[in-house]
Amino acid sequence: MLDAALSLMMLAAIALVGGGVFLLRRGERKRPVLMLTLAGIMVVNLIIWTLPDRSGSTLAGAAQAGPTQ
């Protein structure tokens, strides 16, 4: 389930970048900047969840493994 959520988040970030660039070319300023900012925050969140630490484990892997007793 987490894999699907992370995939949807990446697709949404791509759509936000595309929409932001489209609106910037049309001359708008406020909404495209907010869209690009949100896309950046989403990508950083994805990196945090999927980037392995020194031991090679990720937050996504830990979440799928479940709680430790």
Side-chain angles (χ1 to χ4, degrees):
M1 186 68 174
L2 182 64
D3 293 335
L6 293 175
S7 298
L8 286 174
M9 194 182 316
M10 188 66 213
L11 290 173
I14 292 170
L16 282 169
V17 168
V21 169
F22 176 75
L23 288 176
L24 274 173
R25 288 186 179 174
R26 289 185 66 193
E28 293 190 42
R29 291 289 175 237
K30 189 175 184 180
R31 283 192 297 167
V33 170
L34 290 173
M35 290 170 74
L36 293 172
T37 302
L38 178 60
I41 291 169
M42 291 172 76
V43 168
V44 169
N45 196 9
L46 281 166
I47 290 171
I48 289 170
W49 274 92
T50 58
L51 191 68
D53 59 5
R54 291 184 182 167
S55 66
S57 62
T58 64
L59 286 177
Q64 288 178 347
T68 58
Q69 301 276 332

